[in-house]
Each structure stands twice: as C-alpha cells, then as structure tokens.
Amino acid sequence: MNSRAIRKVVIPTVLLSSVQLQAANYDVSGHVKQHVEFDDNFFLQNEKEETWVYFLSPSIYFTKQEKAGSTSVIADFDIRRHSQFKTSDSENVNLQFTKNWLKPLSVYAVSMGYSISDQRDDAEDDLGQFDSVNRVETFSFTPSMTYQYCE
C-alpha cells in the first residue's frame, strides 16, 4: 500500500473576526473565517495535480431568550474556490433551528437541521473518490426531553 504525503501550505488572512449585537432578550452574532491552502496532490493519485484553495466560512447565530425557553437559529456556510479545477469549487450550507421549553423539572426541545455539502468533503474520509461533483443533502429532526428527579 502506497502512502503519499500531502503537502499543504496554509496562509492565514484576516477579513472580519466577529460581530455581536445584544438587545434585551435577543442575541445576534456572527463571524467570518478565511484562509488559503496549497495542495500539491489534489486528487491523491500518482500523477500529481496541484492547486491553491481559498476558503471562506461565514456564520451567523440568532438567539431569542424567552421566559420559559429559548429559540436559536444557526447558519454556517463554507465556500471554496480553486485556482485549478473550477469544477471542484463548492458552496456548502448548514442550517440549524432549535427550540427549548423549560418546565419546573424538565426541558423539552426540538431541533431541526438541513445541510448540503459536496461528496468530496466526505470522500476523503470514506469513499476515496475525489473526482465526483455529487452533493449530499441531509435533513434532521431531533426531539428531546430531559427530566430531573429530585427527592
């Protein structure tokens, strides 16, 4: 089994660190992260093909505190641009909604999520297929209940 070392050069850049607004029961915050990488074997094959990759990751968070619970919405984005292989450019999205209800001895919650991402993001861990342009779409729904027992 051949093992290949992947050489990546990371160049940090600063665009905007974070922003936060608070008013009474509302909290809105967000941040933007970005960096550039050099990948000397993008497809992990014997015939090396190199590219520069620019990553931009904006996020926004919204929370509303209520008397008996809270509501929150999170939106994360992951944008990637390549100097070569424009077909590998991507825009991944992750959205999350959570609602909590507080009771004297319990907490009820429901969480719903949606994400869409490139198969390549999963391929590096799972499939090993790096030339696909397929997208993976995920929906989630998670109800929960926590009860505290006291004597």
Side-chain angles (χ1 to χ4, degrees):
M1 183 168 166
N2 288 339
S3 68
R4 289 179 227 122
I6 300 174
R7 182 181 45 171
K8 293 185 179 183
V9 178
V10 179
I11 301 172
T13 56
V14 175
L15 177 68
L16 176 67
S17 59
S18 66
V19 175
Q20 183 170 7
L21 301 171
Q22 288 184 318
N25 297 332
Y26 296 91
D27 182 19
V28 179
S29 61
H31 66 269
V32 177
K33 296 179 183 175
Q34 65 176 348
H35 70 278
V36 176
E37 287 183 5
F38 175 75
D39 192 337
D40 69 340
N41 193 356
F42 187 66
F43 293 110
L44 294 179
Q45 299 195 0
N46 290 334
E47 227 176 271
K48 294 182 177 183
E49 297 185 63
E50 58 188 38
T51 186
W52 285 93
V53 186
Y54 172 70
F55 295 85
L56 179 65
S57 303
S59 299
I60 188 161
Y61 310 98
F62 170 79
T63 303
K64 179 184 178 193
Q65 293 295 330
E66 300 161 343
K67 217 179 218 186
S70 66
T71 303
S72 65
V73 176
I74 300 171
D76 291 315
F77 302 92
D78 179 26
I79 301 164
R80 298 177 187 191
R81 296 291 179 259
H82 301 80
S83 62
Q84 311 291 326
F85 320 119
K86 296 295 182 190
T87 58
S88 295
D89 288 353
S90 65
E91 298 86 23
N92 299 332
V93 177
N94 182 29
L95 305 172
Q96 189 74 34
F97 171 82
T98 304
K99 173 71 177 163
N100 294 317
W101 295 273
L102 303 174
K103 302 295 180 187
L105 293 177
S106 59
V107 177
Y108 298 90
V110 64
S111 181
M112 294 176 278
Y114 170 77
S115 70
I116 186 164
S117 61
D118 289 321
Q119 184 179 12
R120 179 178 172 85
D121 296 337
D122 297 324
E124 292 180 8
D125 298 328
D126 299 333
L127 307 172
Q129 179 183 357
F130 296 98
D131 55 356
S132 173
V133 291
N134 293 334
R135 308 272 290 168
V136 177
E137 194 171 25
T138 306
F139 296 92
S140 64
F141 178 78
T142 310
S144 67
M145 190 276 252
T146 305
Y147 182 78
Q148 180 179 355
Y149 179 73
C150 298
E151 285 188 23

